Structures are given as structure tokens and as C-alpha cells.
Amino acid sequence: MKKTVLLILVLTVALHVSLFALCVPILNYAEGWTTFYWDSHYLSYALYQYGVGEVVRQFFLQYFAHSIIGILMTMIVALLVAVLAMVIIRLFCKKTGWLYLSLVPSWLASMGLLALISPNGLTALTARFTPAGQQQTQYLEMSNMVRKQDWAGIIARCDEGGRVTNLLTQNFLNMALAEKGLLGQCLYDEPCIDIRSVYIDAIQNEDFAVLLSDIYYSMGHIAQSQRYAFELNEKKNDFSPRLLMRLVQTNIIYGQYAVAEKYIRWLEKTVYYKTWAMSQRRFLYHDDAVAKDAEYGVKRRCLITDNRFSGIKGLDDDLLHVARQTRGTVQCRTTLQYLGALYLLAHYNQQFVSLCDEFPEYQLTQQKYFADAYKKLKGGNRK
């Protein structure tokens, strides 16, 4: 009997892990949009507003900030169901073989839990096996990599699939290349259409908005990054940890410490973001700490000093100011990669040449596609 029970538990674990492992990118991504706050007021509000099902979903989804822990936490439910089923079966039947029937409710529990917490329901299981599903999975994987700043991972992921023609994928790839200082070297390795290959400014859904916030933050355009994060977070009722983290960052950069503290308090009520949130308190009301920080200090230098509406003179003019104000930093290199690419894709030829001449220390003309364009434009027609 002991061997039978052990085998049943092993089979329960095997199926559960197999099911959830197939859906890890989807669950990781979904966790960034909503999480569970350990707060009595939040629980009362969520239960009243959304019901028990949504609260249970958020509770389990929070653990998919780390895939292994998420799978383990949900697996506990399947194992408990299997054990309970075996106890009930044993009460009515003494034959050991009947215990295998407990696999049915345990497997149903695994599938039911997956259907509950996955935004795509059980269709998430087939996502990797259809063209549309594969494209969506690639997007989710790269979006998760952006959160981890895994630029090399994004580049490698794009290399796996051959030619990159999807604009969203190109946005991810070009962001990673810009961060690595390689955009001028690799810009036309993929078929670029226009500036949409660098950033898509048409908001079609939530995915576009969060991607734009990430791209603008990478560019050093803090105002636009904050704008998209704020608008989308309002739609999410402050439930998105990914967006709350971005708003903490941008408000610290702007010196809006009271606003940043509001978001920090929310994140401190979560399991996985509490430590990060508490670490951000050292920047509140301490400009010196912000200035000395490797990330925030440089990002604060990105803020455009003259009084203007964001983008009123064009994104390229804003980025040129960012590059000049961050000269001598890695951020300047990243911003120049974006700006040079945008000039070429928009056919702003004279501006591209002037950019290369103004920042000779960054050796833009040593990169393959920037070099070819510079040589052609410098000796020919710049219009």
C-alpha cells in the first residue's frame, strides 16, 4: 500500500509540474499585472469588488514572481486533494487498487487551478504549439526579460527564430541592442520599416503601453515613461507591481518623494516586492543619495531642464537634450544609439551627421550601419 500511495503522489506531482511548466511565461507575465496585498483593507475591498475567485487567483499568482515557488505552492493543492481523495476512497473500499482513482480529482484540481490563475485559461497549455501562440509566448518571455534587464537573453531569443519581422519583437530587440551599445552595428540586420521598428507610439492595448514605458525609460525619457506607467496603473487600480515599481523609480528621479512613498507602502504589503520597496526608502527626501546612485543619479540628469511640455519639439529634440546632459555616462551611449537609429529611419540625414560629429568620443561612425550612412551622407546629399 505504501508503494501505491507513493506512486500516486509521484504521478500527481509529475502531471502538475508538466502542466504548469508549459505555462510559466504566461504566469510570470500575468504576475506583473496583479498581485496579492497582505492588507485587511485590501482584502475587504477585493472580496467585495471582485469576489473570492479573484482573491484566490491573486493569492496563487503572486508566487509566480519566481516560477519554481509558484509551481510548488500550487502543487500543494494538488497533493492535498490527492491525499484527501485517497482517505475517502479508503473509507469505502479496502482494495489498494481503487486508490488510483484519487488521481482523477488531483489532476482535475491542477487543471482547475491553472484555468483559474492563467489569463488565457487552459488554452495556455497549447500556446507553444501554434504559430500565434508561439509568437505570444516569445513576446511574454522577452517582456519578462526586460523586467530582469536581461538584454543578452533578448538578443539570443531573437536569434533563435530567424528573421525578425514583427514590430513588437523588433522593439524588444532594438531596446536590448541599444542598452548593449550595438544598435548602430545591427540596426538593418532585420528588415526595418521606419521608426516603428524602434518604438511603436500607437497604443493598441496594455502590452503596447508597458512596452513603451520600458523603452522610454531605457531612452532616458523619464517623463514619457512615467506617463504610460501612471495611466496604465490607474486602469489596474494600483494592483500591478511592475507598474508600481516603475512609478517608484520615476517619482524618486523627479524628487516627488511623497508620491514615491505612497507606491512604496503598497509594495511593502507584498511577499516578493517588500524587500525591494524597503530598499527604496533610503532615497526618500535624500537628494544626495539619489545623485550618488548609479541608476537614479544618471536618470535624474536625463530630466530636461528647460520648462517645456514633453515632446513638444519632437522626441528627437528631447533625446538630444538627454544625451547632452548625460555626456560621459553609459546612459548617453544608450540614448545616442536610439537617436542615431531614429534619425536614419526617419531620413533626418543632416541631423544624423551632426550627431556623429557632436559626440566623437562615442565612436558612432565605427559601427557598421552608422558608419555606412555617415560616409555616404558626409560626402553626398544630406537632405
Side-chain angles (χ1 to χ4, degrees), residues 270-286:
T270 65
V271 171
Y272 288 104
Y273 302 99
K274 181 178 180 178
T275 301
W276 182 87
M278 292 176 66
S279 73
Q280 302 304 296
R281 284 192 172 276
R282 65 189 177 90
F283 299 112
L284 299 180
Y285 312 103
H286 290 92

mmCIF file of all heavy atoms in Angstrom, residues 270-286:
data_model
loop_
_atom_site.group_PDB
_atom_site.id
_atom_site.type_symbol
_atom_site.label_atom_id
_atom_site.label_comp_id
_atom_site.label_asym_id
_atom_site.label_seq_id
_atom_site.Cartn_x
_atom_site.Cartn_y
_atom_site.Cartn_z
ATOM 1 N N THR A 270 3.436 43.315 -0.099
ATOM 2 C CA THR A 270 3.517 42.119 -0.923
ATOM 3 C C THR A 270 4.619 41.197 -0.404
ATOM 4 O O THR A 270 5.449 41.598 0.409
ATOM 5 C CB THR A 270 3.829 42.474 -2.390
ATOM 6 O OG1 THR A 270 5.137 43.056 -2.463
ATOM 7 C CG2 THR A 270 2.809 43.469 -2.930
ATOM 8 N N VAL A 271 4.609 39.971 -0.888
ATOM 9 C CA VAL A 271 5.622 38.998 -0.458
ATOM 10 C C VAL A 271 6.956 39.245 -1.147
ATOM 11 O O VAL A 271 7.995 39.330 -0.501
ATOM 12 C CB VAL A 271 5.142 37.559 -0.754
ATOM 13 C CG1 VAL A 271 6.267 36.554 -0.511
ATOM 14 C CG2 VAL A 271 3.936 37.213 0.119
ATOM 15 N N TYR A 272 6.925 39.399 -2.464
ATOM 16 C CA TYR A 272 8.168 39.414 -3.232
ATOM 17 C C TYR A 272 8.748 40.797 -3.494
ATOM 18 O O TYR A 272 9.912 40.904 -3.896
ATOM 19 C CB TYR A 272 7.962 38.679 -4.561
ATOM 20 C CG TYR A 272 7.854 37.195 -4.362
ATOM 21 C CD1 TYR A 272 6.623 36.555 -4.424
ATOM 22 C CD2 TYR A 272 8.968 36.436 -4.055
ATOM 23 C CE1 TYR A 272 6.513 35.193 -4.219
ATOM 24 C CE2 TYR A 272 8.872 35.076 -3.834
ATOM 25 C CZ TYR A 272 7.651 34.463 -3.920
ATOM 26 O OH TYR A 272 7.551 33.121 -3.703
ATOM 27 N N TYR A 273 7.975 41.834 -3.283
ATOM 28 C CA TYR A 273 8.482 43.172 -3.582
ATOM 29 C C TYR A 273 8.750 43.991 -2.320
ATOM 30 O O TYR A 273 9.194 45.122 -2.406
ATOM 31 C CB TYR A 273 7.500 43.908 -4.500
ATOM 32 C CG TYR A 273 7.254 43.151 -5.782
ATOM 33 C CD1 TYR A 273 6.124 42.351 -5.932
ATOM 34 C CD2 TYR A 273 8.175 43.201 -6.813
ATOM 35 C CE1 TYR A 273 5.916 41.630 -7.097
ATOM 36 C CE2 TYR A 273 7.968 42.487 -7.983
ATOM 37 C CZ TYR A 273 6.844 41.703 -8.121
ATOM 38 O OH TYR A 273 6.658 40.983 -9.265
ATOM 39 N N LYS A 274 8.474 43.404 -1.176
ATOM 40 C CA LYS A 274 8.657 44.115 0.085
ATOM 41 C C LYS A 274 10.108 44.534 0.298
ATOM 42 O O LYS A 274 10.389 45.689 0.654
ATOM 43 C CB LYS A 274 8.184 43.241 1.249
ATOM 44 C CG LYS A 274 8.319 43.919 2.606
ATOM 45 C CD LYS A 274 7.781 43.015 3.723
ATOM 46 C CE LYS A 274 7.916 43.711 5.080
ATOM 47 N NZ LYS A 274 7.365 42.867 6.170
ATOM 48 N N THR A 275 11.037 43.606 0.079
ATOM 49 C CA THR A 275 12.451 43.915 0.296
ATOM 50 C C THR A 275 12.922 45.023 -0.631
ATOM 51 O O THR A 275 13.611 45.958 -0.200
ATOM 52 C CB THR A 275 13.310 42.654 0.085
ATOM 53 O OG1 THR A 275 12.881 41.636 0.996
ATOM 54 C CG2 THR A 275 14.779 42.953 0.329
ATOM 55 N N TRP A 276 12.539 44.930 -1.910
ATOM 56 C CA TRP A 276 12.924 45.975 -2.863
ATOM 57 C C TRP A 276 12.324 47.323 -2.459
ATOM 58 O O TRP A 276 13.010 48.350 -2.498
ATOM 59 C CB TRP A 276 12.460 45.607 -4.269
ATOM 60 C CG TRP A 276 12.853 46.615 -5.306
ATOM 61 C CD1 TRP A 276 14.021 46.680 -6.000
ATOM 62 C CD2 TRP A 276 12.070 47.755 -5.739
ATOM 63 N NE1 TRP A 276 14.021 47.771 -6.836
ATOM 64 C CE2 TRP A 276 12.844 48.444 -6.699
ATOM 65 C CE3 TRP A 276 10.812 48.244 -5.409
ATOM 66 C CZ2 TRP A 276 12.383 49.593 -7.340
ATOM 67 C CZ3 TRP A 276 10.354 49.400 -6.042
ATOM 68 C CH2 TRP A 276 11.128 50.052 -6.999
ATOM 69 N N ALA A 277 11.056 47.320 -2.077
ATOM 70 C CA ALA A 277 10.383 48.562 -1.701
ATOM 71 C C ALA A 277 11.061 49.211 -0.500
ATOM 72 O O ALA A 277 11.289 50.430 -0.470
ATOM 73 C CB ALA A 277 8.911 48.292 -1.403
ATOM 74 N N MET A 278 11.396 48.404 0.487
ATOM 75 C CA MET A 278 12.052 48.943 1.678
ATOM 76 C C MET A 278 13.424 49.526 1.333
ATOM 77 O O MET A 278 13.862 50.524 1.918
ATOM 78 C CB MET A 278 12.185 47.850 2.738
ATOM 79 C CG MET A 278 10.846 47.407 3.331
ATOM 80 S SD MET A 278 10.997 46.026 4.502
ATOM 81 C CE MET A 278 11.924 46.798 5.816
ATOM 82 N N SER A 279 14.101 48.921 0.361
ATOM 83 C CA SER A 279 15.421 49.434 -0.035
ATOM 84 C C SER A 279 15.331 50.800 -0.706
ATOM 85 O O SER A 279 16.306 51.556 -0.736
ATOM 86 C CB SER A 279 16.106 48.440 -0.981
ATOM 87 O OG SER A 279 15.493 48.452 -2.271
ATOM 88 N N GLN A 280 14.148 51.127 -1.254
ATOM 89 C CA GLN A 280 13.976 52.418 -1.924
ATOM 90 C C GLN A 280 13.745 53.564 -0.942
ATOM 91 O O GLN A 280 13.863 54.740 -1.310
ATOM 92 C CB GLN A 280 12.811 52.344 -2.910
ATOM 93 C CG GLN A 280 12.958 51.274 -3.975
ATOM 94 C CD GLN A 280 14.234 51.404 -4.770
ATOM 95 O OE1 GLN A 280 14.452 52.391 -5.476
ATOM 96 N NE2 GLN A 280 15.095 50.392 -4.670
ATOM 97 N N ARG A 281 13.451 53.245 0.295
ATOM 98 C CA ARG A 281 13.188 54.295 1.289
ATOM 99 C C ARG A 281 14.422 55.144 1.579
ATOM 100 O O ARG A 281 14.294 56.288 1.993
ATOM 101 C CB ARG A 281 12.655 53.672 2.584
ATOM 102 C CG ARG A 281 11.199 53.243 2.496
ATOM 103 C CD ARG A 281 10.620 52.897 3.840
ATOM 104 N NE ARG A 281 9.177 52.663 3.763
ATOM 105 C CZ ARG A 281 8.256 53.619 3.811
ATOM 106 N NH1 ARG A 281 8.637 54.895 3.945
ATOM 107 N NH2 ARG A 281 6.973 53.323 3.724
ATOM 108 N N ARG A 282 15.591 54.572 1.338
ATOM 109 C CA ARG A 282 16.804 55.352 1.625
ATOM 110 C C ARG A 282 16.959 56.549 0.687
ATOM 111 O O ARG A 282 17.731 57.468 0.967
ATOM 112 C CB ARG A 282 18.040 54.463 1.540
ATOM 113 C CG ARG A 282 18.349 53.905 0.163
ATOM 114 C CD ARG A 282 19.458 52.869 0.249
ATOM 115 N NE ARG A 282 19.767 52.249 -1.028
ATOM 116 C CZ ARG A 282 20.683 52.722 -1.878
ATOM 117 N NH1 ARG A 282 21.382 53.809 -1.576
ATOM 118 N NH2 ARG A 282 20.898 52.109 -3.029
ATOM 119 N N PHE A 283 16.212 56.547 -0.433
ATOM 120 C CA PHE A 283 16.287 57.671 -1.368
ATOM 121 C C PHE A 283 15.276 58.771 -1.050
ATOM 122 O O PHE A 283 15.424 59.897 -1.536
ATOM 123 C CB PHE A 283 16.045 57.183 -2.798
ATOM 124 C CG PHE A 283 17.055 56.180 -3.283
ATOM 125 C CD1 PHE A 283 16.692 54.860 -3.510
ATOM 126 C CD2 PHE A 283 18.373 56.544 -3.504
ATOM 127 C CE1 PHE A 283 17.613 53.931 -3.955
ATOM 128 C CE2 PHE A 283 19.309 55.633 -3.946
ATOM 129 C CZ PHE A 283 18.931 54.310 -4.171
ATOM 130 N N LEU A 284 14.256 58.440 -0.255
ATOM 131 C CA LEU A 284 13.200 59.412 0.007
ATOM 132 C C LEU A 284 13.742 60.606 0.782
ATOM 133 O O LEU A 284 14.354 60.450 1.844
ATOM 134 C CB LEU A 284 12.056 58.746 0.779
ATOM 135 C CG LEU A 284 11.353 57.571 0.086
ATOM 136 C CD1 LEU A 284 10.238 57.024 0.967
ATOM 137 C CD2 LEU A 284 10.809 57.987 -1.271
ATOM 138 N N TYR A 285 13.506 61.789 0.206
ATOM 139 C CA TYR A 285 13.905 63.059 0.838
ATOM 140 C C TYR A 285 15.416 63.148 1.042
ATOM 141 O O TYR A 285 15.887 63.909 1.890
ATOM 142 C CB TYR A 285 13.169 63.246 2.176
ATOM 143 C CG TYR A 285 11.687 62.990 2.073
ATOM 144 C CD1 TYR A 285 11.126 61.798 2.532
ATOM 145 C CD2 TYR A 285 10.834 63.927 1.469
ATOM 146 C CE1 TYR A 285 9.762 61.545 2.414
ATOM 147 C CE2 TYR A 285 9.477 63.689 1.344
ATOM 148 C CZ TYR A 285 8.952 62.493 1.819
ATOM 149 O OH TYR A 285 7.595 62.252 1.695
ATOM 150 N N HIS A 286 16.194 62.410 0.243
ATOM 151 C CA HIS A 286 17.656 62.474 0.312
ATOM 152 C C HIS A 286 18.204 62.645 -1.104
ATOM 153 O O HIS A 286 18.538 61.670 -1.789
ATOM 154 C CB HIS A 286 18.235 61.203 0.959
ATOM 155 C CG HIS A 286 17.944 61.089 2.420
ATOM 156 N ND1 HIS A 286 16.837 60.431 2.900
ATOM 157 C CD2 HIS A 286 18.614 61.558 3.504
ATOM 158 C CE1 HIS A 286 16.829 60.494 4.225
ATOM 159 N NE2 HIS A 286 17.900 61.170 4.613
#
